[in-house]
Amino acid sequence: MEDIVPLKIQILSILGSLLFLAFIARLILKGKLREEYSVIWIACTAFLLFFSIWRDGLEKIAGLLGVYYAPSLIFLFGFFAIILFLVHLSMVASRQHRQLKELAQELALLKGQKEADKKSHEEEP
Amino acid sequence: MKKAPLLILIPCFNEAQSLPSLAGEVEAARAQLSMASEVLYINDHSTDHTKAELQRRGLPFLDLPINLGIGGAVQAGYRYAWQEGFTYVARIDGDGQHPPAEIEALIKAMEAEKAPVVVGSRFVEKKGFRSTISRRLGIKILSHWCFWLSGIRVLDITSGMTLINREALSLAAPHYPDTFPEPESVVLYGLHQLKVVEAPVNMRSRQTGASSITPGLSVFYMLKVLLGLFFITLKIRRYGRYSTA
């Protein structure tokens, strides 16, 4: 069978995927990335690694789906995954926005309560 | 000591300039009101001397640790009012646009119309400061959009001068909308079968400071509010009402 992906590129992409995996692992170890977010990145790396090793996998899948130009499949999946993840991040940001608002309000109310207590305490004796 | 039934909320963001005259007006107005009242200023994490000014004058205030914007700031006040058991909550802006003495007009309208929500309006009777032409057009569009969506007619739909009773407060404390809250809050009340009426009041152009809605922001404001009105209507219609006390 003819080589679709040259060997050099294959080695490079495997190395790249492994490096990325190591980078993600390092971020988790240093506490800079929560495990729940790391799952998606590890999944991405696994995906990259999978196609780096299975060299003509992309062509085969493209053939199955009737996609004429195989690399466009990468763009399709890539864009789709990125957009999904961005929506997910917007949801996270919205949730944190609401939580922050509630915390700030709670804090302001407690501070006010404390001031009022102090005042009434001063007035008593 | 029995608590006053009315709480007057005054959200402030960088209002150190207008505070001295406003505080004086508020005290004068409270003496004239037909019911006993308390005041609560809300410092929305101002970057000027608003907080120092409030402290120096010994005015009661909530101090937000981060800037929440008008919606979050007012909601903090509503939550306070709910906790402390106030029966009525008036809200006026901290920039001097709403003469505190006009709160009496809102109280009268609430009594006369038996309405849980009264909005101070510049457009019912065309008097006082009525803003620029482009703003009036924007307000008109929002007002029509709100009516078309929800069947609630409020002319001065962006007015920040309101009086609500405890029934409406039970909605506002947990669910008061974010960012540009006034038009959405009208829908929030209206779709929960709380009658919203407008009372004619005299407003002034702001005394000091700048509007939070600059020309560049106004397009964004319109889009945000148009969308916000659409979604809050859909949400309440589709997923049912929030529970009220």
mmCIF file of all heavy atoms in Angstrom, chain B residues 31-67:
data_model
loop_
_atom_site.group_PDB
_atom_site.id
_atom_site.type_symbol
_atom_site.label_atom_id
_atom_site.label_comp_id
_atom_site.label_asym_id
_atom_site.label_seq_id
_atom_site.Cartn_x
_atom_site.Cartn_y
_atom_site.Cartn_z
ATOM 1 N N ALA B 31 -39.076 63.658 55.497
ATOM 2 C CA ALA B 31 -39.869 64.352 56.525
ATOM 3 C C ALA B 31 -41.275 64.649 56.014
ATOM 4 O O ALA B 31 -42.217 64.757 56.794
ATOM 5 C CB ALA B 31 -39.153 65.635 56.933
ATOM 6 N N GLN B 32 -41.428 64.772 54.685
ATOM 7 C CA GLN B 32 -42.721 65.143 54.098
ATOM 8 C C GLN B 32 -43.565 63.938 53.692
ATOM 9 O O GLN B 32 -44.741 64.063 53.418
ATOM 10 C CB GLN B 32 -42.493 66.007 52.840
ATOM 11 C CG GLN B 32 -41.669 67.248 53.069
ATOM 12 C CD GLN B 32 -42.434 68.298 53.849
ATOM 13 O OE1 GLN B 32 -43.642 68.452 53.649
ATOM 14 N NE2 GLN B 32 -41.756 68.986 54.753
ATOM 15 N N LEU B 33 -42.927 62.751 53.587
ATOM 16 C CA LEU B 33 -43.647 61.582 53.071
ATOM 17 C C LEU B 33 -44.790 61.175 53.993
ATOM 18 O O LEU B 33 -44.729 61.400 55.200
ATOM 19 C CB LEU B 33 -42.690 60.389 52.908
ATOM 20 C CG LEU B 33 -41.688 60.459 51.754
ATOM 21 C CD1 LEU B 33 -40.853 59.177 51.703
ATOM 22 C CD2 LEU B 33 -42.400 60.676 50.431
ATOM 23 N N SER B 34 -45.796 60.531 53.386
ATOM 24 C CA SER B 34 -46.964 60.163 54.177
ATOM 25 C C SER B 34 -46.730 58.878 54.973
ATOM 26 O O SER B 34 -47.597 58.436 55.704
ATOM 27 C CB SER B 34 -48.172 60.001 53.259
ATOM 28 O OG SER B 34 -47.884 59.065 52.244
ATOM 29 N N MET B 35 -45.577 58.230 54.817
ATOM 30 C CA MET B 35 -45.285 57.085 55.688
ATOM 31 C C MET B 35 -43.831 57.150 56.153
ATOM 32 O O MET B 35 -42.985 57.760 55.508
ATOM 33 C CB MET B 35 -45.576 55.759 54.985
ATOM 34 C CG MET B 35 -44.782 55.485 53.738
ATOM 35 S SD MET B 35 -44.988 53.776 53.179
ATOM 36 C CE MET B 35 -46.553 53.853 52.304
ATOM 37 N N ALA B 36 -43.583 56.525 57.308
ATOM 38 C CA ALA B 36 -42.221 56.524 57.848
ATOM 39 C C ALA B 36 -41.310 55.722 56.941
ATOM 40 O O ALA B 36 -41.733 54.746 56.327
ATOM 41 C CB ALA B 36 -42.228 55.926 59.253
ATOM 42 N N SER B 37 -40.072 56.143 56.831
ATOM 43 C CA SER B 37 -39.185 55.471 55.886
ATOM 44 C C SER B 37 -37.767 55.352 56.432
ATOM 45 O O SER B 37 -37.375 56.044 57.367
ATOM 46 C CB SER B 37 -39.142 56.246 54.574
ATOM 47 O OG SER B 37 -38.608 57.533 54.801
ATOM 48 N N GLU B 38 -37.042 54.431 55.848
ATOM 49 C CA GLU B 38 -35.599 54.347 56.063
ATOM 50 C C GLU B 38 -34.927 54.462 54.711
ATOM 51 O O GLU B 38 -35.547 54.234 53.681
ATOM 52 C CB GLU B 38 -35.233 53.014 56.731
ATOM 53 C CG GLU B 38 -35.565 52.997 58.202
ATOM 54 C CD GLU B 38 -35.138 51.710 58.884
ATOM 55 O OE1 GLU B 38 -34.159 51.087 58.412
ATOM 56 O OE2 GLU B 38 -35.792 51.339 59.867
ATOM 57 N N VAL B 39 -33.644 54.808 54.731
ATOM 58 C CA VAL B 39 -32.896 54.942 53.479
ATOM 59 C C VAL B 39 -31.767 53.929 53.482
ATOM 60 O O VAL B 39 -31.215 53.601 54.527
ATOM 61 C CB VAL B 39 -32.269 56.345 53.342
ATOM 62 C CG1 VAL B 39 -31.687 56.532 51.942
ATOM 63 C CG2 VAL B 39 -33.282 57.404 53.636
ATOM 64 N N LEU B 40 -31.465 53.396 52.318
ATOM 65 C CA LEU B 40 -30.280 52.550 52.188
ATOM 66 C C LEU B 40 -29.576 52.900 50.878
ATOM 67 O O LEU B 40 -30.145 52.767 49.794
ATOM 68 C CB LEU B 40 -30.664 51.065 52.194
ATOM 69 C CG LEU B 40 -29.485 50.096 52.153
ATOM 70 C CD1 LEU B 40 -28.702 50.116 53.451
ATOM 71 C CD2 LEU B 40 -29.957 48.675 51.857
ATOM 72 N N TYR B 41 -28.361 53.387 51.003
ATOM 73 C CA TYR B 41 -27.535 53.627 49.819
ATOM 74 C C TYR B 41 -26.807 52.335 49.488
ATOM 75 O O TYR B 41 -26.525 51.529 50.374
ATOM 76 C CB TYR B 41 -26.523 54.743 50.085
ATOM 77 C CG TYR B 41 -27.161 56.096 50.289
ATOM 78 C CD1 TYR B 41 -27.674 56.468 51.538
ATOM 79 C CD2 TYR B 41 -27.258 57.001 49.234
ATOM 80 C CE1 TYR B 41 -28.273 57.702 51.726
ATOM 81 C CE2 TYR B 41 -27.854 58.243 49.425
ATOM 82 C CZ TYR B 41 -28.360 58.586 50.668
ATOM 83 O OH TYR B 41 -28.944 59.809 50.848
ATOM 84 N N ILE B 42 -26.548 52.131 48.213
ATOM 85 C CA ILE B 42 -25.777 50.956 47.823
ATOM 86 C C ILE B 42 -24.573 51.435 47.030
ATOM 87 O O ILE B 42 -24.719 51.981 45.934
ATOM 88 C CB ILE B 42 -26.614 49.983 46.973
ATOM 89 C CG1 ILE B 42 -27.830 49.514 47.775
ATOM 90 C CG2 ILE B 42 -25.781 48.775 46.551
ATOM 91 C CD1 ILE B 42 -29.041 49.280 46.948
ATOM 92 N N ASN B 43 -23.404 51.240 47.609
ATOM 93 C CA ASN B 43 -22.185 51.644 46.922
ATOM 94 C C ASN B 43 -21.718 50.493 46.042
ATOM 95 O O ASN B 43 -21.249 49.471 46.526
ATOM 96 C CB ASN B 43 -21.107 52.001 47.957
ATOM 97 C CG ASN B 43 -19.773 52.276 47.304
ATOM 98 O OD1 ASN B 43 -19.712 52.735 46.168
ATOM 99 N ND2 ASN B 43 -18.703 51.977 48.018
ATOM 100 N N ASP B 44 -21.866 50.669 44.721
ATOM 101 C CA ASP B 44 -21.547 49.590 43.783
ATOM 102 C C ASP B 44 -20.043 49.611 43.464
ATOM 103 O O ASP B 44 -19.652 49.727 42.315
ATOM 104 C CB ASP B 44 -22.369 49.742 42.503
ATOM 105 C CG ASP B 44 -22.286 48.493 41.633
ATOM 106 O OD1 ASP B 44 -21.736 47.490 42.108
ATOM 107 O OD2 ASP B 44 -22.763 48.536 40.492
ATOM 108 N N HIS B 45 -19.250 49.486 44.506
ATOM 109 C CA HIS B 45 -17.796 49.470 44.370
ATOM 110 C C HIS B 45 -17.303 50.678 43.562
ATOM 111 O O HIS B 45 -16.572 50.518 42.567
ATOM 112 C CB HIS B 45 -17.326 48.166 43.711
ATOM 113 C CG HIS B 45 -15.864 47.880 43.992
ATOM 114 N ND1 HIS B 45 -15.415 47.504 45.219
ATOM 115 C CD2 HIS B 45 -14.782 47.946 43.203
ATOM 116 C CE1 HIS B 45 -14.104 47.332 45.166
ATOM 117 N NE2 HIS B 45 -13.685 47.601 43.967
ATOM 118 N N SER B 46 -17.705 51.865 43.994
ATOM 119 C CA SER B 46 -17.304 53.092 43.305
ATOM 120 C C SER B 46 -15.793 53.261 43.357
ATOM 121 O O SER B 46 -15.140 52.810 44.293
ATOM 122 C CB SER B 46 -17.954 54.309 43.966
ATOM 123 O OG SER B 46 -19.349 54.216 43.899
ATOM 124 N N THR B 47 -15.262 53.945 42.326
ATOM 125 C CA THR B 47 -13.816 54.182 42.306
ATOM 126 C C THR B 47 -13.487 55.608 42.737
ATOM 127 O O THR B 47 -12.328 55.997 42.756
ATOM 128 C CB THR B 47 -13.254 53.928 40.897
ATOM 129 O OG1 THR B 47 -14.056 54.645 39.959
ATOM 130 C CG2 THR B 47 -13.265 52.454 40.559
ATOM 131 N N ASP B 48 -14.528 56.407 43.054
ATOM 132 C CA ASP B 48 -14.258 57.758 43.567
ATOM 133 C C ASP B 48 -14.489 57.761 45.087
ATOM 134 O O ASP B 48 -14.361 56.735 45.743
ATOM 135 C CB ASP B 48 -15.127 58.793 42.847
ATOM 136 C CG ASP B 48 -16.599 58.595 43.150
ATOM 137 O OD1 ASP B 48 -16.946 57.605 43.820
ATOM 138 O OD2 ASP B 48 -17.404 59.438 42.723
ATOM 139 N N HIS B 49 -14.840 58.904 45.639
ATOM 140 C CA HIS B 49 -14.956 58.990 47.098
ATOM 141 C C HIS B 49 -16.358 58.701 47.613
ATOM 142 O O HIS B 49 -16.703 59.104 48.715
ATOM 143 C CB HIS B 49 -14.535 60.391 47.570
ATOM 144 C CG HIS B 49 -13.168 60.764 47.103
ATOM 145 N ND1 HIS B 49 -12.925 61.817 46.247
ATOM 146 C CD2 HIS B 49 -11.968 60.183 47.330
ATOM 147 C CE1 HIS B 49 -11.632 61.869 45.988
ATOM 148 N NE2 HIS B 49 -11.032 60.898 46.628
ATOM 149 N N THR B 50 -17.176 58.029 46.816
ATOM 150 C CA THR B 50 -18.552 57.763 47.237
ATOM 151 C C THR B 50 -18.608 57.127 48.624
ATOM 152 O O THR B 50 -19.370 57.567 49.497
ATOM 153 C CB THR B 50 -19.249 56.851 46.216
ATOM 154 O OG1 THR B 50 -19.234 57.489 44.941
ATOM 155 C CG2 THR B 50 -20.683 56.590 46.615
ATOM 156 N N LYS B 51 -17.768 56.117 48.833
ATOM 157 C CA LYS B 51 -17.816 55.396 50.105
ATOM 158 C C LYS B 51 -17.422 56.318 51.269
ATOM 159 O O LYS B 51 -18.102 56.354 52.300
ATOM 160 C CB LYS B 51 -16.885 54.187 50.042
ATOM 161 C CG LYS B 51 -16.978 53.307 51.276
ATOM 162 C CD LYS B 51 -16.066 52.103 51.152
ATOM 163 C CE LYS B 51 -16.073 51.314 52.450
ATOM 164 N NZ LYS B 51 -15.173 50.154 52.368
ATOM 165 N N ALA B 52 -16.337 57.061 51.074
ATOM 166 C CA ALA B 52 -15.880 57.979 52.128
ATOM 167 C C ALA B 52 -16.961 59.010 52.438
ATOM 168 O O ALA B 52 -17.213 59.342 53.600
ATOM 169 C CB ALA B 52 -14.596 58.673 51.686
ATOM 170 N N GLU B 53 -17.614 59.480 51.371
ATOM 171 C CA GLU B 53 -18.669 60.486 51.519
ATOM 172 C C GLU B 53 -19.843 59.913 52.336
ATOM 173 O O GLU B 53 -20.387 60.588 53.216
ATOM 174 C CB GLU B 53 -19.134 60.903 50.116
ATOM 175 C CG GLU B 53 -19.886 62.202 50.041
ATOM 176 C CD GLU B 53 -19.031 63.414 50.337
ATOM 177 O OE1 GLU B 53 -17.822 63.398 50.022
ATOM 178 O OE2 GLU B 53 -19.591 64.365 50.893
ATOM 179 N N LEU B 54 -20.202 58.665 52.023
ATOM 180 C CA LEU B 54 -21.293 58.010 52.752
ATOM 181 C C LEU B 54 -20.918 57.830 54.220
ATOM 182 O O LEU B 54 -21.737 58.078 55.119
ATOM 183 C CB LEU B 54 -21.603 56.647 52.124
ATOM 184 C CG LEU B 54 -22.321 56.664 50.769
ATOM 185 C CD1 LEU B 54 -22.233 55.305 50.093
ATOM 186 C CD2 LEU B 54 -23.788 57.048 50.948
ATOM 187 N N GLN B 55 -19.682 57.405 54.457
ATOM 188 C CA GLN B 55 -19.232 57.174 55.835
ATOM 189 C C GLN B 55 -19.184 58.474 56.622
ATOM 190 O O GLN B 55 -19.615 58.544 57.762
ATOM 191 C CB GLN B 55 -17.846 56.506 55.818
ATOM 192 C CG GLN B 55 -17.929 55.009 55.612
ATOM 193 C CD GLN B 55 -16.575 54.384 55.351
ATOM 194 O OE1 GLN B 55 -15.663 55.016 54.824
ATOM 195 N NE2 GLN B 55 -16.439 53.121 55.698
ATOM 196 N N ARG B 56 -18.650 59.508 55.959
ATOM 197 C CA ARG B 56 -18.483 60.800 56.637
ATOM 198 C C ARG B 56 -19.831 61.342 57.098
ATOM 199 O O ARG B 56 -19.939 61.961 58.144
ATOM 200 C CB ARG B 56 -17.810 61.771 55.674
ATOM 201 C CG ARG B 56 -17.199 62.996 56.336
ATOM 202 C CD ARG B 56 -16.307 63.724 55.338
ATOM 203 N NE ARG B 56 -17.049 64.242 54.203
ATOM 204 C CZ ARG B 56 -17.769 65.360 54.238
ATOM 205 N NH1 ARG B 56 -17.852 66.044 55.341
ATOM 206 N NH2 ARG B 56 -18.408 65.771 53.158
ATOM 207 N N ARG B 57 -20.860 61.105 56.279
ATOM 208 C CA ARG B 57 -22.186 61.615 56.618
ATOM 209 C C ARG B 57 -22.972 60.651 57.499
ATOM 210 O O ARG B 57 -24.133 60.915 57.829
ATOM 211 C CB ARG B 57 -22.978 61.868 55.338
ATOM 212 C CG ARG B 57 -22.422 63.028 54.580
ATOM 213 C CD ARG B 57 -22.903 63.099 53.164
ATOM 214 N NE ARG B 57 -22.120 64.133 52.500
ATOM 215 C CZ ARG B 57 -22.424 65.426 52.551
ATOM 216 N NH1 ARG B 57 -23.505 65.826 53.155
ATOM 217 N NH2 ARG B 57 -21.643 66.298 51.970
ATOM 218 N N GLY B 58 -22.370 59.505 57.806
ATOM 219 C CA GLY B 58 -23.054 58.528 58.647
ATOM 220 C C GLY B 58 -24.315 57.974 58.012
ATOM 221 O O GLY B 58 -25.275 57.630 58.685
ATOM 222 N N LEU B 59 -24.323 57.890 56.661
ATOM 223 C CA LEU B 59 -25.500 57.369 55.963
ATOM 224 C C LEU B 59 -25.433 55.842 55.930
ATOM 225 O O LEU B 59 -24.350 55.275 55.786
ATOM 226 C CB LEU B 59 -25.537 57.912 54.531
ATOM 227 C CG LEU B 59 -25.675 59.425 54.420
ATOM 228 C CD1 LEU B 59 -25.397 59.889 52.996
ATOM 229 C CD2 LEU B 59 -27.067 59.870 54.854
ATOM 230 N N PRO B 60 -26.595 55.177 56.089
ATOM 231 C CA PRO B 60 -26.584 53.713 56.041
ATOM 232 C C PRO B 60 -26.366 53.229 54.603
ATOM 233 O O PRO B 60 -27.015 53.730 53.680
ATOM 234 C CB PRO B 60 -27.987 53.336 56.525
ATOM 235 C CG PRO B 60 -28.833 54.531 56.237
ATOM 236 C CD PRO B 60 -27.934 55.730 56.301
ATOM 237 N N PHE B 61 -25.445 52.311 54.419
ATOM 238 C CA PHE B 61 -25.220 51.828 53.047
ATOM 239 C C PHE B 61 -24.717 50.390 53.019
ATOM 240 O O PHE B 61 -24.136 49.900 53.973
ATOM 241 C CB PHE B 61 -24.242 52.743 52.301
ATOM 242 C CG PHE B 61 -22.824 52.700 52.806
ATOM 243 C CD1 PHE B 61 -21.862 51.958 52.138
ATOM 244 C CD2 PHE B 61 -22.460 53.405 53.945
ATOM 245 C CE1 PHE B 61 -20.548 51.924 52.598
ATOM 246 C CE2 PHE B 61 -21.149 53.372 54.412
ATOM 247 C CZ PHE B 61 -20.194 52.634 53.743
ATOM 248 N N LEU B 62 -24.988 49.744 51.892
ATOM 249 C CA LEU B 62 -24.396 48.442 51.607
ATOM 250 C C LEU B 62 -23.161 48.694 50.756
ATOM 251 O O LEU B 62 -23.187 49.512 49.852
ATOM 252 C CB LEU B 62 -25.366 47.541 50.821
ATOM 253 C CG LEU B 62 -26.578 46.977 51.543
ATOM 254 C CD1 LEU B 62 -27.347 46.076 50.593
ATOM 255 C CD2 LEU B 62 -26.177 46.205 52.776
ATOM 256 N N ASP B 63 -22.110 47.975 51.054
ATOM 257 C CA ASP B 63 -20.859 48.194 50.349
ATOM 258 C C ASP B 63 -20.519 46.945 49.540
ATOM 259 O O ASP B 63 -20.092 45.942 50.086
ATOM 260 C CB ASP B 63 -19.763 48.488 51.380
ATOM 261 C CG ASP B 63 -18.498 48.956 50.724
ATOM 262 O OD1 ASP B 63 -18.579 49.582 49.662
ATOM 263 O OD2 ASP B 63 -17.418 48.689 51.291
ATOM 264 N N LEU B 64 -20.734 47.004 48.228
ATOM 265 C CA LEU B 64 -20.458 45.824 47.394
ATOM 266 C C LEU B 64 -18.941 45.683 47.183
ATOM 267 O O LEU B 64 -18.268 46.655 46.860
ATOM 268 C CB LEU B 64 -21.170 45.941 46.049
ATOM 269 C CG LEU B 64 -22.688 45.778 46.118
ATOM 270 C CD1 LEU B 64 -23.332 46.184 44.805
ATOM 271 C CD2 LEU B 64 -23.064 44.345 46.453
ATOM 272 N N PRO B 65 -18.440 44.458 47.370
ATOM 273 C CA PRO B 65 -16.985 44.252 47.257
ATOM 274 C C PRO B 65 -16.486 44.268 45.818
ATOM 275 O O PRO B 65 -15.302 44.449 45.584
ATOM 276 C CB PRO B 65 -16.779 42.880 47.889
ATOM 277 C CG PRO B 65 -18.081 42.185 47.739
ATOM 278 C CD PRO B 65 -19.143 43.243 47.787
ATOM 279 N N ILE B 66 -17.381 44.059 44.837
ATOM 280 C CA ILE B 66 -17.003 44.182 43.431
ATOM 281 C C ILE B 66 -18.112 44.948 42.720
ATOM 282 O O ILE B 66 -19.227 45.035 43.228
ATOM 283 C CB ILE B 66 -16.824 42.810 42.731
ATOM 284 C CG1 ILE B 66 -18.031 41.915 42.979
ATOM 285 C CG2 ILE B 66 -15.547 42.128 43.171
ATOM 286 C CD1 ILE B 66 -17.992 40.611 42.224
ATOM 287 N N ASN B 67 -17.821 45.501 41.569
ATOM 288 C CA ASN B 67 -18.826 46.254 40.822
ATOM 289 C C ASN B 67 -19.793 45.290 40.129
ATOM 290 O O ASN B 67 -19.385 44.483 39.290
ATOM 291 C CB ASN B 67 -18.136 47.152 39.792
ATOM 292 C CG ASN B 67 -19.149 47.947 38.993
ATOM 293 O OD1 ASN B 67 -19.445 47.601 37.853
ATOM 294 N ND2 ASN B 67 -19.688 48.976 39.579
#
